[in-house]
Amino acid sequence: MRRLRTQAGLTQEQMAERSGVSVRTIRRLETGKASDHRLGTVNLLADALELGVEDRRQLAAVLAPANPSPIPLQGKANGDSGRPFEPESVSEPESVSEVDRMLAGAAAELAREVGRRWQKEEEQRRVHDPFPLPVRWTRAPARLTDHAENIQRLPPGVRPEPMEAAGDLRSVAEAYRGIPSGRLVILGRAGSGKSIMAIRLVLDLLGGSGPYRSRRVPVIFGIGAWDATAVALRDWLVDLLLRDYPHLARRTPAGSTLAAALVDAGLVLPVLDGFDEIAEGLRQEALEALNATSLPLVLTSRAGEYAEAVSAARAPLVWAAGIELAGLAPDDLAAYLSRTARPAAQDGRAPGGGGGEGSEGGEALWDLVLEVLRSGKDPAGGRLAEVLSTPLMIALARTMYSEAPGRDPAELLDAGRFPTASSLEDHLLAGFVPTVYRPRVAERAATGDPDRDRRQDRRDRDRRRTWEPDRARHWLGHLAHHLVRLDRDRHDLAWWQIGESLPRSTRVLTVALVSALCVAVSDWAVVLLVVPITPGEALVQGAVVGPVGGLAFGCFYAVMAAFGGGSFAPSQVRLRLRGRAGGGIGRRPVRTFTDRFAAVVPGGFVMGIGCACAFALQRALYEGRSLTDPALVEPLLINMLVLGLIFSSAAGLVFGLLAALETPLDVGSAATPAGLLSANRATVYRQVLVIVPVLTLAIALGGGLVVRLLAGVLGPLSWKLPEGLVVGAVGGLGGGLSYALCFTAWGQWLIFSRLLLPLTGKLPWNPEDFLDDAYRRGVLRRSGAVYQFRHVRLQHHLGHTYRRRQGNYTPATFPVPPRPADGSSTTPHGP
């Protein structure tokens, strides 16, 4: 080891800093006074020396002869404490080396992407403007944490070291590094800054260096949507990684996705935000599921909800330390609010432009309020101090008064209007959306080119569309109401699920109508261009084929929706017509093809049955026969079987081919909801370009093969190539368009969210721009590929207001919950 350290040009002190292993241990190892050391220590030293595979094996053979040979890449158990993660040994060193190189690159990519996203999100939430609020924490009550000996993973008889008693936002990462178990619970009131602290923890862990750099990649997961009774924690983490980081869908040589491999290798540190947002009846099961694992993790929750789960499970999160966020003091408010009210610019724009004399304007605006808060004698001031003790309410007050013209914060001291703390909070929640959607005058570009300036102004106006406050509140209320319409409260606002706010019957009818139109237009186009018949006959044929095809697709969609499959998740892949590099979706092409084939066969069979019914109906109309005529019924049954087999096998082959062309999205291509939407739109376009011609040929040529195989069993059958090409073209074009519009995430977004919901007034005509604009105004926030409301309390307030205005509010349906045990008020939410 001394030779390797000398070759690396490191002193013992430098090696200790890199590895996290003490100088004393390194000295004992180099002098031979310590032997058969722990494998984890050997791996840490090898990482610090940046050794190759062979050097690692030699080092392990000398220092840890009783242990299996270490693999080239290792990760710490909690990313910070120095306790190493030791994966299972693998019998094939060459395969292990390839896997570990792949995981090393994936972990580095993930770390960069996580850091970039949350750095941007922290800036969007204006955490540092004008300076971070002094969010402080103390140790959580003993009844909500495990024994100190368990947290420090000590053997019996060893006394634990004292833990940090208090700290602030800047010291939370340092406190976490001192927890040997790697498990921490962050508790606090609603709006107390738990999510902001989680973001800061992630960025500090990623930004460390030497022994302070996290070996695990900390990733924030919104845990509110997790149902521990239905999905295992490991599977749920993998699913969310694939949703938010689609590039992790690439396969390892072992066949698993990179997301699953990273989780299984212990290279992901889950930061589970919002335990209190889990449905009340599922929190105990969630806590018990977390306790069944030894996975290092961070959990945030409101104190009251977490305490109830601990009481029900009869145990806190095992091995977990706990901290609780404290409220802000009046002095904190005075220092912060006075610097948020900047003087208005001279051109009449609203305050907020900033200037060198900002503190004077802030003191003038907040003078009376701050004086009352400092005195502590006025009951109204006491109520206001209680409300403004959380970062959420301070942010709302800042938006309403420091950044909007003509508003006087002294009205918050009016005891007649606001007799309780709850009424003050409701006032701030109710005034937030109208304030951020107030009309603003955009600054004119000044590039020196008048034509270019006008074009830029036009683009800026389109991008910063002025939504009317009442309409914006109505649309946001509909989205908030949509999140609680189902069996439990949800918080992830996914663009591909917005269509679920429509009744199921409406969605089924829309799918049937859109499919009927696609098939009818396809039939008209193909027949008029190819078949020598009159336009009248072509119109009649399309008018028959379209509705029958639409009915078939509508029935298939209705069955899917009845079994919970009416919503389609966005594709995590894109199509490439050239070879894949770097490991694509399939290292097991046969299984991938088989799975895709089996998934689409039912839909293809239904499509064939619809085609047979259309032919029978068309014949009955032309020949003036009854549909119950035996001369029509027998051919109909035969055609249903034959065409069902033709269309199902053709559809299976086509979608199997699509699977062969799929490759994961690039690391940055779906970093935002809009990015994922754009990627899926491009993927659907490419799918249609492949589906239409290939399905046409598959139906035409495959039909001849199926007819030859069944002719001896079913009697004389006819399938001429020209007729087969016509049927194939109609099926390929109509089926491809129907699939794209009705059975993909982007298609449902288009027909439901871009067309149907705006027609009913529940969303604007450009919901994509509206959601992005709401994010930029601070009403929504981003969590990977989905939006969330700025805070769950704002979501509940908007949903409650929407239901009340729509006349859907009744105490029996949407009860008002009692005041939480942690003292924070709440608003009605969820059935």
Side-chain angles (χ1 to χ4, degrees), residues 488-704:
R488 58 192 177 92
D489 202 353
R490 291 192 300 179
H491 306 283
D492 289 345
L493 182 59
W495 56 262
W496 59 91
Q497 293 176 337
I498 292 177
E500 293 182 24
S501 61
L502 292 165
R504 183 188 301 171
S505 58
T506 303
R507 286 182 281 142
V508 171
L509 179 60
T510 302
V511 166
L513 291 175
V514 171
S515 300
L517 184 61
C518 291
V519 175
V521 170
S522 301
D523 186 85
W524 289 331
V526 172
V527 170
L528 288 174
L529 291 175
V530 177
V531 181
I533 61 176
T534 64
E537 292 176 325
L539 290 175
V540 171
Q541 180 175 321
V544 172
V545 173
V548 174
L551 181 62
F553 280 112
C555 290
F556 183 66
Y557 180 83
V559 172
M560 293 182 62
F563 289 94
S567 177
F568 297 90
S571 174
Q572 305 292 345
V573 298
R574 56 195 174 99
L575 296 186
R576 294 180 64 183
L577 299 180
R578 53 191 177 88
R580 297 188 302 257
I585 291 296
R587 296 300 293 258
R588 295 176 291 181
V590 175
R591 178 175 176 180
T592 301
F593 179 86
T594 303
D595 292 344
R596 191 67 60 88
F597 187 95
V600 301
V601 159
F605 200 84
V606 171
M607 186 178 172
I609 291 175
C611 185
C613 294
F615 289 158
L617 179 59
Q618 181 181 355
R619 182 180 175 188
L621 290 175
Y622 276 116
E623 298 179 4
R625 296 187 181 183
S626 170
L627 290 175
T628 59
D629 189 337
L632 288 179
V633 173
E634 183 178 354
L636 171 62
L637 296 177
I638 294 175
N639 283 342
M640 288 173 66
L641 175 61
V642 174
L643 291 175
L645 292 175
I646 292 173
F647 277 75
S648 60
S649 59
L653 289 171
V654 169
F655 282 89
L657 175 62
L658 287 179
L661 298 175
E662 289 175 350
T663 188
L665 295 172
D666 296 331
V667 63
S669 61
T672 64
L676 186 58
L677 176 61
S678 176
N680 271 258
R681 179 169 52 242
T683 297
V684 172
Y685 287 166
R686 293 188 179 99
Q687 285 177 333
V688 171
L689 292 177
V690 173
I691 289 173
V692 173
V694 177
L695 186 57
T696 299
L697 294 176
I699 292 174
L701 301 178

Side-chain angles (χ1 to χ4, degrees), residues 144 187-188 276 283 301-309 324 820-822:
L144 300 181
L187 303 175
D276 54 282
R283 290 184 198 132
S301 176
R302 287 200 292 191
E305 284 78 354
Y306 180 72
E308 291 174 1
E324 187 167 15
D822 62 8

Side-chain angles (χ1 to χ4, degrees), residues 117 240-246 492-496 570 572 670-677 781-788:
R117 289 191 190 185
L240 261 65
L241 282 174
L242 290 174
R243 184 197 73 181
D244 294 340
Y245 306 92
D492 289 345
L493 182 59
W495 56 262
W496 59 91
Q572 305 292 345
T672 64
L676 186 58
L677 176 61
R781 63 188 183 189
R782 286 178 187 157
S783 179
V786 299
Y787 290 107
Q788 295 174 340

Side-chain angles (χ1 to χ4, degrees), residues 250-270:
R250 295 199 304 271
R251 297 280 180 178
T252 67
S256 64
T257 63
L258 281 176
L262 288 172
V263 172
D264 293 340
L267 296 178
V268 173
L269 173 65

